[in-house]
Amino acid sequence: MPMPRWWGHVNKRVFNPHALRSGKWAVLTHVGRSSGMLYRTPMEAHPVDGGYLVVLVYGSKSDWVRNVMAAGHAKLTVGGEDVEVTAPRVVTEAEAFEALAPDVKRPPKSLRIKEFLRMDVL
């Protein structure tokens, strides 16, 4: 896992509320797999052919990733537009980099990010 899990907990409670209010980030709305509660997670979502790609900074074991994978769908708000995304799947670095536009900045190698989430637009 590239980033320590404790940093994810800090991020969820301190930085995410600010990011949600700022309106600068894409927001993924998903349902908790155990609680059934609605959650909103700010993130960088990159458009790719037929959907979106998200860098999994905390890896595929993050709660929000597990929620989306269990549900099989979510709502992504990008630039004020809501899109339904489906068929979430973890893809490799090679597949992700092939799908991303050349001008999209890749994560630094020092972060050791090897997992990405790809979702299709309905």
Side-chain angles (χ1 to χ4, degrees):
M1 176 174 39
M3 298 290 283
R5 293 207 49 88
W6 65 265
W7 183 249
H9 294 292
V10 170
N11 198 20
K12 186 190 306 189
R13 287 168 181 75
V14 177
F15 299 109
N16 282 5
H18 173 71
L20 287 168
R21 284 190 304 273
S22 76
K24 295 179 184 177
W25 299 90
V27 176
L28 187 74
T29 304
H30 52 96
V31 177
R33 62 194 177 284
S34 299
S35 68
M37 291 178 53
L38 275 182
Y39 292 98
R40 297 176 66 231
T41 305
M43 62 185 54
E44 238 182 286
H46 303 284
V48 294
D49 188 33
Y52 285 88
L53 186 78
V54 177
V55 178
L56 296 181
V57 177
Y58 300 103
S60 60
K61 301 291 186 218
S62 297
D63 283 335
W64 74 264
V65 176
R66 293 169 56 196
N67 288 342
V68 173
M69 295 291 284
H73 62 89
K75 179 179 78 173
L76 186 65
T77 305
V78 182
E81 300 283 327
D82 291 340
V83 293
E84 292 295 323
V85 289
T86 188
R89 59 208 176 273
V90 176
V91 297
T92 65
E93 180 180 38
E95 186 177 342
F97 287 1
E98 185 178 310
L100 286 171
D103 62 335
V104 174
K105 189 173 180 180
R106 279 32 179 186
K109 288 185 187 237
S110 61
L111 293 181
R112 301 181 324 246
I113 295 171
K114 301 292 181 198
E115 296 178 311
F116 300 78
L117 187 71
R118 185 161 181 167
M119 299 173 286
D120 298 334
V121 174
L122 281 178

